[in-house]
Amino acid sequence: MNTFTFHAADQAATDSFAAALVAAIPDGTTVALEATLGAGKTYLVQSVAENAGIPREQVTSPTFVLCQEYHGNRTIYHFDAYRINDDDEFLQLGVEEYFQSTGLIFIEWSDRVSNCLPASHLRIRIDVTGDHSRDLVVSAIGQYPRSILGEIETRLAGRTSKPAQ
């Protein structure tokens, strides 16, 4: 299984997804977030942070600072590539050092810097399906362990989800 889709009917379901994600992914995971403006990328990172022992209100969109660091039970490096002009500018942020860290790396607008991402990472595409509902399409890219996708799905058992694609 390389991909599965979780249907989050509301923000509470997104919070459940974030809890399953934090419990399943190992330290050092890079998560590439793809979605349109306002789809909930930052909300998802806030939910992840809360599940990693970081107060939700500390997490803000790093659009103007490009990277935020949060420390709790786990460390989160939160990047936003929206205002990045090209791959070189993104690399100048020192992202390669972050990719080698034990923190969780979340990159909003990752499709803008896809050539810079580690060969193995987790991708989450957020598709807006309603005012408060979203489809979270989760993919293992490269050699990222596909078993982790199964673990996330298992932790979400009984919640709304769609079969693997």
Side-chain angles (χ1 to χ4, degrees):
M1 170 183 51
N2 295 334
T3 301
F4 78 92
T5 301
F6 177 76
H7 179 71
D10 53 26
Q11 289 182 324
T14 299
D15 294 339
S16 295
F17 174 84
L21 184 68
V22 168
I25 62 175
D27 289 341
T29 296
T30 295
V31 180
L33 299 174
E34 298 177 359
T36 59
L37 191 63
K41 296 177 294 296
T42 300
Y43 184 87
L44 177 60
V45 177
Q46 289 171 331
S47 294
V48 165
E50 188 170 60
N51 282 282
I54 301 160
R56 173 185 290 274
E57 57 276 2
Q58 286 185 12
V59 179
T60 59
S61 178
T63 300
F64 295 103
V65 294
L66 305 178
C67 180
Q68 297 278 16
E69 294 185 17
Y70 306 107
H71 303 281
N73 300 331
R74 298 178 85 176
T75 297
I76 296 174
Y77 301 108
H78 183 198
F79 288 88
D80 189 321
Y82 185 73
R83 296 192 182 279
I84 298 292
N85 292 316
D86 56 32
D87 292 350
D88 288 337
E89 184 179 349
F90 188 65
L91 292 172
Q92 288 174 2
L93 296 174
V95 295
E96 291 169 324
E97 291 179 34
Y98 288 98
F99 294 152
Q100 302 302 317
S101 76
T102 58
L104 301 177
I105 298 99
F106 285 82
I107 304 171
E108 295 190 28
W109 299 98
S110 63
D111 48 318
R112 294 173 151 275
V113 292
S114 60
N115 293 330
C116 301
L117 299 177
S120 296
H121 62 276
L122 197 64
R123 179 177 61 215
I124 301 174
R125 189 183 77 230
I126 304 171
D127 296 328
V128 176
T129 58
D131 288 344
H132 301 285
S133 63
R134 306 289 186 263
D135 278 349
L136 301 157
V137 183
V138 185
S139 303
I141 306 299
Q143 298 300 311
Y144 192 83
R146 277 113 180 102
S147 60
I148 293 172
L149 296 183
E151 185 175 342
I152 296 168
E153 276 195 298
T154 298
R155 291 176 180 278
L156 291 167
R159 308 269 183 202
T160 305
S161 65
K162 296 181 179 180
Q165 299 175 357

